Every structure is written in C-alpha cells, then in structure tokens.
Amino acid sequence: MNTSKTYKVNEAKETKAITQEKVDKGPKPKVLVTGASEILGRCVVAEFQLLEWEVLGLGHLLAHPEKASPGKGFKFHVDFSNEKTVKDVIRKFKPRVVVHVPPEQKLGEIDADVAKAINVAATKLIAQEAVKVGAWVIYVSSDWVYDGTTPPYRETDEPGPMNTYGQIKVDGEKALLGISADNCVLRVPLLYGCIEALKDSEVTSLMQLVLDTENKHKISNYEKYYPTSVVDVARVIWKLSEKRLQDPNTRGVFHWSSREELTLYSMASRMARMFGLPFDHIEVLKAV
C-alpha cells in the first residue's frame, strides 16, 4: 500500500520533543479508544499511555483487561452501536481524539449484521457525538475496500470491494466522512501481533495448521498480502493524532502497511522454518 501521506520522522527525537511540549502545555490530551480488547486496540491503548495521553479504552465481550495494558481506564462489555452508551461516554470523557477500532473479522467467519453495526452504525454515532465535543475521529478501515486486481493502491483510488466485508468497510468510511470530512480514515492490511491466542489473527492462526502435524492441510499460495504489525500501526495512529493537535489540516484518507509481499502459504512456511518444525503436511491449495 502507498504510504505517501503517512508522516515519517525520527521517532526518538519526535517523542522527546512532543512529550516535552505536552508537559509545557499542561493537561494531558484525552483519547477514547474503542475495540481496546482487540489485537490492534490493545496496542493503541498501550502506545498512547506510554506517551502520556489520558486514555479510556472500551472493549468487547471477550476482553481481558489485565492483558490489554497496565493501569486503569478501561470499560468492557460495551456496545458501540448503542446510542445512549456512545453519547454518555463521549459527553462525559470529552476526548480530543477518538480512535474507532472495529474488531478484525476473518473472512470465512463474518457476521454481516454485527459487522454493519460496529463499522457503520457505531461509526456514525461516534462521529455525530464527537463533533459536539470537538473531537477528531480516526476510523480504522481495511485494504479490503479494493478488489486487489491492480495494486498498489493510493489514497485517491476509488474503492471497489469484492466482498461483503469490503463493502461494509466502505460504508463505514462514508458514514464517518459524511458527518465530517475533517475526520480520518486509516486503511490497513492483514494484521498480526499483541495476540492472546494463535487464533486471534489470520496470520498467527496459520501456526495452528503448522503445529497440527497429524493432519494434512492446504493453504493458498495465490493471494498476495502485506502483513503488518499492530505495534507499527498503533504508532502511526499516535503520530497522526499528535500531528492533528498541531495541524488541523490533518484529515482525510491514509494508507499504512509493511512493504513485504507474502502469501498465506509463504507465511506458514516461514513460521515452520523459524521454529524448526516439519512442513511436509502442508500442501498448496490450488487456485480455482
């Protein structure tokens, strides 16, 4: 994916300078993070806490608060599509920034109704209430808004999703920017990192197949991915937020991903080599 609009600076110098600036200015800026129990949400919360923001993380039913990040500032079992809940939280906390991190769903396990509620209905509610308190919203979208036939894509390329999940993400983007074009959409690819179990991401779930040496498994070697660490994405989200505090023209659509192209099969093969595990039980799933 194209990263031309993502801000690149010397991280050590930037962190020191911005932290000092915040100390001089007084109160810590506030950030509300939805999806704080997801692999990306956990890292986003930890990143902002590390860099001395006041953080409130909202999580889902399967949350493990003790693993999300040290310290207080979490609410779990939260329904982001509930109008009263969204209004109460945003009006009471009054964040400067809201980072909406809908849970990443595996394509074969998508519940369309749930996905629409969190990505579209909840995004619209959050954006509406954020405007009232002067908060800036970052909606984490996906590269599934494109069909993958002509990569790499730029932020200015028109979306053309090939499946229901991609269309839901497009609708979520429209819901956000329809309330205020001042907000931000961050499109990211397949993510990994900050897991509590191997099944937590599409990438690490491949390890389950590698470990299951008693059975044969077929993995696709056709689709191309750019697996990206949630730690890196969390840092990008923090940088965008800091940039927004300094420059109100920070808005619109951004892309971020790693540059290494891999297939699911090549990811699994690499895992097996790294851990010295057998791989002869894994076969290539032929493209239809």
Side-chain angles (χ1 to χ4, degrees):
M1 279 189 158
N2 179 271
T3 60
S4 60
K5 291 178 68 177
T6 301
Y7 299 91
K8 298 179 180 179
V9 295
N10 182 297
E11 292 187 4
K13 291 182 180 179
E14 180 193 75
T15 301
K16 181 178 179 181
I18 291 176
T19 300
Q20 183 61 45
E21 184 178 357
K22 290 202 293 286
V23 171
D24 295 341
K25 286 184 176 180
K28 297 178 180 179
K30 293 182 178 182
V31 59
L32 174 66
V33 181
T34 70
S37 58
E38 305 300 324
I39 62 171
L40 176 56
R42 289 197 291 269
C43 281
V44 171
V45 168
E47 185 73 15
F48 277 95
Q49 286 181 333
L50 177 66
L51 296 161
E52 300 185 353
W53 282 56
E54 183 177 343
V55 183
L56 174 59
L58 306 181
H60 300 286
L61 291 175
L62 299 178
H64 297 278
E66 73 281 1
K67 295 182 180 180
S69 186
K72 299 179 181 180
F74 290 91
K75 292 184 179 180
F76 293 92
H77 308 282
V78 177
D79 179 4
F80 310 137
S81 60
N82 182 283
E83 184 174 358
K84 184 178 185 303
T85 298
V86 172
K87 285 183 177 180
D88 288 348
V89 170
I90 292 179
R91 289 178 182 180
K92 289 178 182 178
F93 188 60
K94 292 183 173 58
R96 293 286 300 278
V97 175
V98 179
V99 183
H100 185 34
V101 188
E104 189 178 29
Q105 297 196 359
K106 297 180 181 179
L107 292 182
E109 304 174 5
I110 291 176
D111 184 321
D113 291 336
V114 172
K116 288 178 182 177
I118 297 175
N119 284 277
V120 185
T123 301
K124 184 176 181 179
L125 281 173
I126 290 169
Q128 288 172 333
E129 293 306 311
V131 167
K132 296 175 184 178
V133 299
W136 187 59
V137 183
I138 299 178
Y139 168 64
V140 179
S141 188
S142 167
D143 60 0
W144 281 104
V145 299
Y146 300 111
D147 62 13
T149 56
T150 57
Y153 293 96
R154 296 182 179 275
E155 291 87 346
T156 53
D157 291 333
E158 282 295 317
M162 64 180 294
N163 54 42
T164 300
Y165 182 64
Q167 185 59 56
I168 290 172
K169 282 294 188 181
V170 170
D171 293 343
E173 295 181 2
K174 290 179 178 179
L176 177 77
L177 298 177
I179 298 299
S180 174
D182 217 30
N183 290 318
C184 172
V185 169
L186 177 62
R187 294 174 181 151
V188 298
L190 194 64
L191 300 176
Y192 67 89
C194 288
I195 63 169
E196 295 173 0
L198 291 175
K199 64 180 181 178
D200 284 357
S201 83
E202 290 274 12
V203 176
T204 52
S205 63
L206 294 170
M207 190 64 175
Q208 293 177 304
L209 305 183
V210 173
L211 291 170
D212 185 18
T213 55
E214 295 183 359
N215 297 290
K216 294 286 186 181
H217 296 284
K218 293 184 178 182
I219 300 178
S220 174
N221 197 35
Y222 177 72
E223 299 90 352
K224 305 296 191 299
Y225 297 91
Y226 295 85
T228 299
S229 167
V230 290
V231 175
D232 293 339
V233 176
R235 174 53 63 100
V236 168
I237 290 172
W238 167 75
K239 285 185 179 181
L240 284 169
S241 300
E242 288 284 0
K243 185 67 177 178
R244 171 68 183 189
L245 296 187
Q246 302 165 25
D247 180 6
N249 290 317
T250 305
R251 59 191 176 189
V253 178
F254 295 82
H255 288 180
W256 179 264
S257 82
S258 68
R259 297 189 178 187
E260 186 173 20
E261 182 182 276
L262 296 168
T263 66
L264 296 178
Y265 182 85
S266 61
M267 290 181 222
S269 175
R270 181 172 296 187
M271 291 176 194
R273 289 198 307 273
M274 287 179 63
F275 290 96
L277 298 171
F279 197 67
D280 54 3
H281 63 296
I282 303 292
E283 300 175 358
V284 173
L285 176 64
K286 296 181 180 179
V288 178

